[in-house]
């Protein structure tokens, strides 16, 4: 019994011992089933961006068209010249509107519309600023053109055509007041072309009247050719092709002017050729070459170049002619026998040469013609004085001879009396 109790006590102690030993080591983890995880919250889709409706797009297109129209109008009326900084600002707004144009969303389209409207308003403000200045300048240009046409003789020669041009100006003014700027510009441009055509056409007509008789003698076919061209220009006017009439009148003026210069050159050469071939053959030959070049240019239908060449040839012939008359005057001793006239011609001759060297032909031509005439007069005076001197010498010699004869007769008489 006692032994049995002891065994029980030992078993109890062993159990306690085992319990204490195991208390210092953590128990192994107990495998458990994983707890279920919550699913991530669902992401809501982004709110839909509304696309522009047709009305919004129409408004955008209208604003873009408005800006483009205003931009073209401002450009056509030289806005960049009148107000360069304002033009640059408007251009910047328009460029921004073009680059940021958005038609994919309603908000983007509306913002684009706002940008185009800003650009349009900038151009329209600029148009208001320049319109008055532009038409003020245009009015002065038209007034000057009309004065030139009237001074050329349009009022006397073609009063009905001048009246047509004046009506075009009135039409331009009416359209400007109605803010029809393009219509006003078109009418003003027509009026300007009309006045210019009248000036050149009337000038050409009077040149033709001046050369017609001589041209009929020398070049009747050429004169007929130019006359036909002039009539075609009138037909263009009647058809209201005023730009064509302006160009035609300018061409006709060049043609008649070339004929006039050619006639002048020919007439001067006829006068000077005989003596110039002896005194200044090289200069005369050079002038002839330029005259032939004028003919070549005419045949190539380059009438302005033909006119310029013929005018140069005329100047060269005048230069040779004046030099020839001067040398003739010197040969006749006009610098002493007609000193006053010769010195006057010499001064004009020097001025003519200076203008000729500077290609101021309109200034040189009358000076050459004037000095040429005065040199010729000095030569005639010197020649007349020489004839008078020679006549005086002849009479003196005759008187001496007569005195000698009288003396001999007296001597004979005396001798006869002595006998």
């Amino acid at each position: 019994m006692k032994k049995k109790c002891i065994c029980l006590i030992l078993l109890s102690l062993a159990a306690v011992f085992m319990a204490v030993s195991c208390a210092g080591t953590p128990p192994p983890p107990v495998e458990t089933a994983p707890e279920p995880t919550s699913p991530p919250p669902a992401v809501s889709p982004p709110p839909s961006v509304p696309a522009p409706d047709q009305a919004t797009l129409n408004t955008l297109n209208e604003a873009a068209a408005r800006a483009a129209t205003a931009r073209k109008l401002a450009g056509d009326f030289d806005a960049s010249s009148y107000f360069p900084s304002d033009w640059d600002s408007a251009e910047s707004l328009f460029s921004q509107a073009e680059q940021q144009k958005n038609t994919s969303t309603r908000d983007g389209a509306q913002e684009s519309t706002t940008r185009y409207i800003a650009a349009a308003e900038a151009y329209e403000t600029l148009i208001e600023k320049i319109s008055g200045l532009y038409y003020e300048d245009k009015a002065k240009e038209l007034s000057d053109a009309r004065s030139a046409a009237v001074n050329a003789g349009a009022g006397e020669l073609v009063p009905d055509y001048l009246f047509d041009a004046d009506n075009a100006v009135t039409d331009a003014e009416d359209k400007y007041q109605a803010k029809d700027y393009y219509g006003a510009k078109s009418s003003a441009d027509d009026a300007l072309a009309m006045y210019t055509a009248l000036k050149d056409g009337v000038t050409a007509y009077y040149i033709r009247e001046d050369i017609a008789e001589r041209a009929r003698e020398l070049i009747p076919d050429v004169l007929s050719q130019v006359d036909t061209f002039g009539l075609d220009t009138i037909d263009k006017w009647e058809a209201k092709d005023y730009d064509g009439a302006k160009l035609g009148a300018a061409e006709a003026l060049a043609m008649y002017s070339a004929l006039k210069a050619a006639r002048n050159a020919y007439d001067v050469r006829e006068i000077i050729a005989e003596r110039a071939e002896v005194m200044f053959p090289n200069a005369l030959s050079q002038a002839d070459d330029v005259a032939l070049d004028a003919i070549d240019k005419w045949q190539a239908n380059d009438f302005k170049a033909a006119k310029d060449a013929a005018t140069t040839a005329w100047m060269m012939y005048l230069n040779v002619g004046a030099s020839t008359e001067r040398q003739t005057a010197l040969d006749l001793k006009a610098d002493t026998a007609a000193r006053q006239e010769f010195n006057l011609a010499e001064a004009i001759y020097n001025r003519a040469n200076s203008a000729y060297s500077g290609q101021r032909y309109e200034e040189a031509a009358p000076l050459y013609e004037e000095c040429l005439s005065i040199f010729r007069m000095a030569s005639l005076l010197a020649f007349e004085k020489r004839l008078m001197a020679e006549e005086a010498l002849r009479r003196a010699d005759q008187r001496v001879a007569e005195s000698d004869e009288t003396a001999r007769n007296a001597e004979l008489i005396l001798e006869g009396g002595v006998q």
Side-chain angles (χ1 to χ4, degrees), residues 269 272-282 284 288 320 324:
R269 191 188 189 284
I272 70 171
E274 185 174 351
R275 283 179 294 154
E277 286 174 350
V278 176
M279 295 182 179
F280 302 100
N282 291 335
L284 182 64
D288 288 343
V320 176
T324 299

Side-chain angles (χ1 to χ4, degrees), residues 268 271-272 317-323 325-326 345 348-349 366-377:
V268 172
I271 295 171
I272 70 171
Y317 285 131
L318 283 173
N319 175 274
V320 176
S323 298
E325 292 295 344
R326 179 178 181 276
I348 298 171
Y349 176 74
L367 292 174
Y368 274 132
E369 290 175 334
E370 184 178 5
C371 73
L372 188 151
S373 177
I374 299 174
F375 277 134
R376 189 177 298 152
M377 181 175 65

Side-chain angles (χ1 to χ4, degrees), residues 26 31 45 79-80 109 121 138 165 184 186 204 221 234 257-258 347 372 399 408:
E31 292 184 5
S80 60
E121 289 175 346
K138 183 63 72 173
S186 177
D221 292 342
I234 295 174
S257 297
L372 188 151
R399 284 195 295 271
R408 285 195 297 272

